[in-house]
Amino acid sequence: MEESWGMQEFMGSAVEDKREAKSLSLMADRLLANPELSFSSAVGENFRKSAWRIFSKQEVDVSYGHYRQTSKRCADQDVVLVSQDTTDLNYASHVATEGLGDLGGSHVNPGLCLHTAMALSEQGTALGLVGQKLWPPQSTGRTKQVQFYPLEEKESYRWVEALQWVDQHLAKAKKVIVISDRESDFYEYMAARRSKHVELLFRAHHLNRKVHYEQEKMLLKEVVFPNTTKVEVYLPRTSKRKERNAKLQVSWGKITCPVPTYKKGEDIDLWVVVAQETHTPAGEEPRSEPPLLWYLLTTINIEDQAAALLMIDYYRKRWVIERWHMVLKSGMQIEKLQFDTFTRLSHAIAMLCIVAWQLIWLKHLAAESAQLAAEKIFEPLQIEVLEKHSGRKELSVQQALIIIAALAGFTPTKKQPFPGEKTMWRGWAIFSQLCHGYLLASQINYETG
């Protein structure tokens, strides 16, 4: 790869001229090389001034070029999964920043809400961002009950907007499945216009909703489907759950969701996949958290066991975006950004979101690119440093990234053969310093006397 990743992702940014696009590209390279540092420390004094100037312009679209690159990466995929999710960005220590909202709580909590749609391969590799919405939330000031506001004025509209981003940036994809959590379980989302190649997969929130099943009307949670099977799946650790393998009883079938009484539209046919964790087997310690219970709703026809299990596998890929949130906050320190206006802050957030995606992508490549030559991903200088450091030639991407992770102390084991996100970003920071030092040393003429 002759040009840096920053050049690839940011030279197409919607800015006034190529000089500004180049500045953004070089800033992105520096941010990637220096995760865990503040924005100003990572980019340096000169680029800090450039960022201030570029980010002051409301019409700038930092992400435009990246979205186009994402579209290219998705073009040759048979199936593209688009995971969408929302996270809060807490700026309680930056109360002077203009344009912040209130995240709510017992007192005013300044911050912003960020909704993101991320494209994934079927295997879960992050292919790039598809769209984002950043807004200052309102915790007070509403004059009517939420259900009486137009959909476009509700925060829940973000789930529908993501379908518009998919139509805009993934129009040429072969098949797209948009995956979301329980917040997207509302009628307008199910009924929203979408292209023929786009399907929905989301987790049900309203289990007490009335549905039609085999000509009878009943609560969703009361439906018993005759098609059943068992499967064991791996559940990664989260803030609410320990890492474990879960034994699931799986059933599936077709239902019809009638139009809510206070809304207009048509009844919607959906398929349901129910995944319920069985009790802890004898001899195992009981768990403190409740057993897993998922009601997955989808517009995809689920006609056999393989299709039902595939929906569970697809839904599990949604966690990639949660790991991206972790990189964004813990690695890129996004909640420590110090910009004085919403416009400047929003552009800086957009840039760090793409850098965080690159770190997630590198982590995935470490696990999946055993055959891909390192030259396809790394710059010539980086290849030279890797070969000098390891004493090996013709490295694969996987080998190169494991070498880089080892700089941060990673040692492959049977349980964890590949590095995690934190090890990857720390190893990349050390590797970037090695490359910089190597470049400086190669430019020095040593004299001997």
Side-chain angles (χ1 to χ4, degrees), residues 86-193:
T86 306
T87 190
D88 292 342
L89 302 179
N90 192 315
Y91 291 105
S93 60
H94 305 301
V95 293
T97 301
E98 298 175 5
L100 296 178
D102 182 6
L103 296 174
S106 58
H107 58 278
V108 176
N109 193 11
L112 298 170
C113 292
L114 176 67
H115 189 75
T116 303
M118 176 183 287
L120 312 171
S121 70
E122 272 195 285
Q123 294 71 38
T125 300
L127 301 174
L129 308 184
V130 177
Q132 288 189 299
K133 180 178 182 178
L134 183 73
W135 73 96
Q138 289 181 271
S139 60
T140 59
R142 292 282 189 173
T143 58
K144 297 184 290 187
Q145 290 184 322
V146 174
Q147 64 263 35
F148 296 115
Y149 280 90
L151 177 63
E152 292 76 10
E153 295 182 21
K154 298 178 184 178
E155 288 191 358
S156 57
Y157 184 58
R158 65 192 186 272
W159 302 97
V160 177
E161 285 183 286
L163 301 180
Q164 298 169 9
W165 303 336
V166 168
D167 281 350
Q168 180 181 358
H169 299 296
L170 300 182
K172 296 182 180 179
K174 299 172 185 176
K175 182 177 181 179
V176 179
I177 302 173
V178 182
I179 306 170
S180 50
D181 64 13
R182 290 179 291 181
E183 285 188 68
S184 63
D185 181 13
F186 58 97
Y187 177 77
E188 291 88 347
Y189 179 67
M190 303 179 205
R193 191 199 68 81

Side-chain angles (χ1 to χ4, degrees), residues 192-253:
R193 191 199 68 81
R194 64 183 192 276
S195 298
K196 291 182 179 180
H197 71 299
V198 178
E199 304 283 2
L200 303 180
L201 172 63
F202 57 98
R203 186 177 167 192
H205 176 63
H206 304 290
L207 300 186
N208 287 322
R209 68 150 51 91
K210 295 238 180 124
V211 300
H212 296 294
Y213 175 65
E214 293 194 344
Q215 300 180 343
E216 291 189 29
K217 195 171 187 178
M218 62 184 71
L219 301 182
L220 175 59
K221 66 181 182 182
E222 295 176 344
V223 179
V224 178
F225 300 111
N227 302 310
T228 62
T229 188
K230 293 182 179 181
V231 67
E232 183 172 324
V233 300
Y234 168 72
L235 300 176
R237 178 178 59 84
T238 69
S239 59
K240 299 179 181 179
R241 181 184 63 226
K242 293 181 180 180
E243 174 187 41
R244 68 174 186 269
N245 288 324
K247 295 179 173 65
L248 305 178
Q249 179 82 26
V250 179
S251 60
W252 65 94

Side-chain angles (χ1 to χ4, degrees), residues 134-425:
L134 183 73
W135 73 96
Q138 289 181 271
S139 60
T140 59
R142 292 282 189 173
T143 58
K144 297 184 290 187
Q145 290 184 322
V146 174
Q147 64 263 35
F148 296 115
Y149 280 90
L151 177 63
E152 292 76 10
E153 295 182 21
K154 298 178 184 178
E155 288 191 358
S156 57
Y157 184 58
R158 65 192 186 272
W159 302 97
V160 177
E161 285 183 286
L163 301 180
Q164 298 169 9
W165 303 336
V166 168
D167 281 350
Q168 180 181 358
H169 299 296
L170 300 182
K172 296 182 180 179
K174 299 172 185 176
K175 182 177 181 179
V176 179
I177 302 173
V178 182
I179 306 170
S180 50
D181 64 13
R182 290 179 291 181
E183 285 188 68
S184 63
D185 181 13
F186 58 97
Y187 177 77
E188 291 88 347
Y189 179 67
M190 303 179 205
R193 191 199 68 81
R194 64 183 192 276
S195 298
K196 291 182 179 180
H197 71 299
V198 178
E199 304 283 2
L200 303 180
L201 172 63
F202 57 98
R203 186 177 167 192
H205 176 63
H206 304 290
L207 300 186
N208 287 322
R209 68 150 51 91
K210 295 238 180 124
V211 300
H212 296 294
Y213 175 65
E214 293 194 344
Q215 300 180 343
E216 291 189 29
K217 195 171 187 178
M218 62 184 71
L219 301 182
L220 175 59
K221 66 181 182 182
E222 295 176 344
V223 179
V224 178
F225 300 111
N227 302 310
T228 62
T229 188
K230 293 182 179 181
V231 67
E232 183 172 324
V233 300
Y234 168 72
L235 300 176
R237 178 178 59 84
T238 69
S239 59
K240 299 179 181 179
R241 181 184 63 226
K242 293 181 180 180
E243 174 187 41
R244 68 174 186 269
N245 288 324
K247 295 179 173 65
L248 305 178
Q249 179 82 26
V250 179
S251 60
W252 65 94
K254 187 178 182 180
I255 62 167
T256 299
C257 292
V259 184
T261 53
Y262 56 91
K263 296 179 181 178
K264 297 179 180 180
E266 299 179 352
D267 294 351
I268 299 174
D269 291 334
L270 293 172
W271 287 81
V272 185
V273 177
V274 182
Q276 183 168 14
E277 189 172 9
T278 55
H279 295 295
T280 305
E284 291 188 17
E285 294 183 4
R287 293 184 292 271
S288 57
E289 69 267 22
L292 179 146
L293 175 60
W294 288 345
Y295 276 75
L296 303 182
L297 305 180
T298 181
T299 57
I300 301 170
N301 291 346
I302 308 299
E303 297 180 348
D304 54 29
Q305 173 180 315
L309 297 181
L310 185 60
M311 292 304 105
I312 294 174
D313 185 57
Y314 282 167
Y315 184 75
R316 289 170 61 242
K317 301 294 191 301
R318 194 189 69 82
W319 294 328
V320 173
I321 201 168
E322 295 184 4
R323 300 302 297 172
W324 174 77
H325 286 153
M326 185 276 293
V327 174
L328 199 59
K329 295 179 180 181
S330 300
M332 303 313 304
Q333 305 289 314
I334 198 167
E335 292 175 312
K336 294 183 179 180
L337 285 172
Q338 297 185 16
F339 288 88
D340 60 348
T341 67
F342 176 83
T343 297
R344 296 190 184 103
L345 180 59
S346 63
H347 292 324
I349 288 171
M351 170 166 273
L352 288 184
C353 285
I354 299 170
V355 178
W357 159 77
Q358 177 72 2
L359 288 169
I360 284 282
W361 184 63
L362 289 171
K363 181 258 184 184
H364 289 159
L365 288 181
E368 299 173 4
S369 300
Q371 306 301 322
L372 185 64
E375 287 82 0
K376 298 292 185 181
I377 300 297
F378 293 90
E379 300 168 46
L381 173 65
Q382 294 172 331
I383 294 292
E384 191 171 347
V385 172
L386 283 166
E387 291 179 348
K388 293 284 186 182
H389 178 75
S390 65
R392 300 161 66 182
K393 299 283 187 180
E394 299 181 357
L395 295 167
S396 68
V397 170
Q398 185 181 85
Q399 291 169 333
L401 289 170
I402 289 177
I403 291 168
I404 292 169
L407 296 173
F410 174 72
T411 301
T413 65
K414 185 177 181 180
K415 184 177 180 180
Q416 188 175 2
F418 306 110
E421 295 90 353
K422 186 176 291 188
T423 304
M424 199 71 256
W425 82 57

